[in-house]
Amino acid sequence: AQTVTQSQPEMSVQEAETVTLSCTYDTSESDYYLFWYKQPPSRQMILVIRQEAYKQQNATENRFSVNFQKAAKSFSLKISDSQLGDAAMYFCAYRGSQGNLIFGKGTKLSVKP
Amino acid sequence: DVKVTQSSRYLVKRTGEKVFLECVQDMDHENMFWYRQDPGLGLRLIYFSYDVKMKEKGDIPEGYSVSREKKERFSLILESASTNQTSMYLCASHPRQGSKNYGYTFGSGTRLTVV
């Protein structure tokens, strides 16, 4: 069975600085998709970025980028120029052949002014 | 703007009550999901449905059932609520089984407290 591990329950970053959230996963599949979701205090889950496993190029969305290491089964999220509005829970998620999203336990990110 | 709407934001129920959590999506999505979110445990899949009247068990189905009589509506049922079912419940939908590159669209959650 596939698993997703986020080893950092909490992280903190200074406003305007860069922070990296870690995610590793375990799978025997070769075709899958990876996602990072943001959940602010409003509770609305927001898709931040997605990565297709067959693409070697790392996905980028404005200040958000990933470091996808397929062999190491690692999928970290880098947030550049952190803003107060980035404070939230961040969830890493895997989607494979079964079609369901499997989530990590989340990382709570605090942004200090 | 596409939406997944959960009927209640907060809900308080008594132990032993039958509880219905409603979820409606306006995107004509085939797939719908119910997750439970607890601190330190992330999101865990309770049930999902790929089509009307179809349902599949997720990772933690015990104590729950679901109903999908119409494509747009997916209901989660707690047959006899217990205090260990106090949690945040999130509904999500997805366009179709083959579109793996899409993420899910989530509702804003129902925080259920069972007393």
Side-chain angles (χ1 to χ4, degrees):
Chain A
Q2 296 87 5
T3 58
V4 177
T5 301
Q6 293 178 249
S7 58
Q8 307 151 316
E10 295 188 25
M11 292 280 287
S12 180
V13 63
Q14 205 72 32
E15 194 175 8
E17 297 294 311
T18 295
V19 64
T20 298
L21 308 184
S22 300
C23 174
T24 59
Y25 58 95
D26 188 24
T27 184
S28 58
E29 298 178 327
S30 58
D31 182 23
Y32 51 87
Y33 295 80
L34 297 164
F35 305 85
W36 277 99
Y37 277 87
K38 170 185 177 181
Q39 186 183 42
S42 68
R43 301 179 345 202
Q44 185 66 54
M45 292 283 278
I46 302 165
L47 179 62
V48 175
I49 199 166
R50 66 171 69 96
Q51 174 79 41
E52 297 157 353
Y54 64 86
K55 288 188 176 179
Q56 293 196 358
Q57 186 173 6
N58 289 325
T60 299
E61 290 287 342
N62 301 314
R63 297 183 296 107
F64 297 88
S65 62
V66 298
N67 183 4
F68 174 50
Q69 303 288 330
K70 190 172 185 179
K73 297 179 182 174
S74 171
F75 182 60
S76 60
L77 174 69
K78 185 172 83 171
I79 306 174
S80 304
D81 185 26
S82 296
Q83 300 174 1
L84 295 177
D86 294 334
M89 284 292 291
Y90 286 82
F91 292 97
C92 178
Y94 169 100
R95 187 171 193 212
S97 60
Q98 286 191 330
N100 303 327
L101 273 182
I102 300 168
F103 287 87
K105 294 182 179 180
T107 297
K108 183 177 181 180
L109 178 66
S110 302
V111 181
K112 297 178 181 178
Chain B
D1 199 14
V2 295
K3 276 189 176 176
V4 175
T5 303
Q6 293 184 231
S7 55
S8 302
R9 190 160 175 84
Y10 297 95
L11 211 52
V12 180
K13 295 292 182 180
R14 294 195 179 277
T15 302
E17 275 193 77
K18 189 169 186 175
V19 181
F20 293 85
L21 303 184
E22 306 289 347
C23 176
V24 177
Q25 49 96 2
D26 63 0
M27 300 164 282
D28 201 36
H29 286 176
E30 287 79 10
N31 305 338
M32 297 188 74
F33 308 84
W34 274 106
Y35 283 87
R36 170 177 173 160
Q37 182 180 0
D38 299 289
L41 297 178
L43 280 74
R44 294 178 291 168
L45 183 63
I46 304 172
Y47 266 97
F48 58 100
S49 169
Y50 287 140
D51 205 345
V52 176
K53 295 193 184 296
M54 292 181 65
K55 59 184 179 182
E56 298 286 342
K57 292 181 179 179
D59 298 319
I60 51 166
E62 297 77 19
Y64 304 94
S65 62
V66 290
S67 172
R68 188 144 182 226
E69 296 297 319
K70 294 184 178 181
K71 190 176 186 179
E72 67 270 19
R73 185 181 295 270
F74 191 37
S75 303
L76 180 68
I77 304 160
L78 286 65
E79 296 290 344
S80 177
S82 64
T83 54
N84 62 13
Q85 292 178 309
T86 291
S87 186
M88 169 80 78
Y89 291 88
L90 288 167
C91 176
S93 72
H94 187 269
R96 60 186 173 92
Q97 193 169 353
S99 301
K100 294 180 183 178
N101 59 323
Y102 287 100
Y104 292 3
T105 302
F106 281 86
S108 56
T110 295
R111 189 175 295 280
L112 172 68
T113 302
V114 182
V115 297

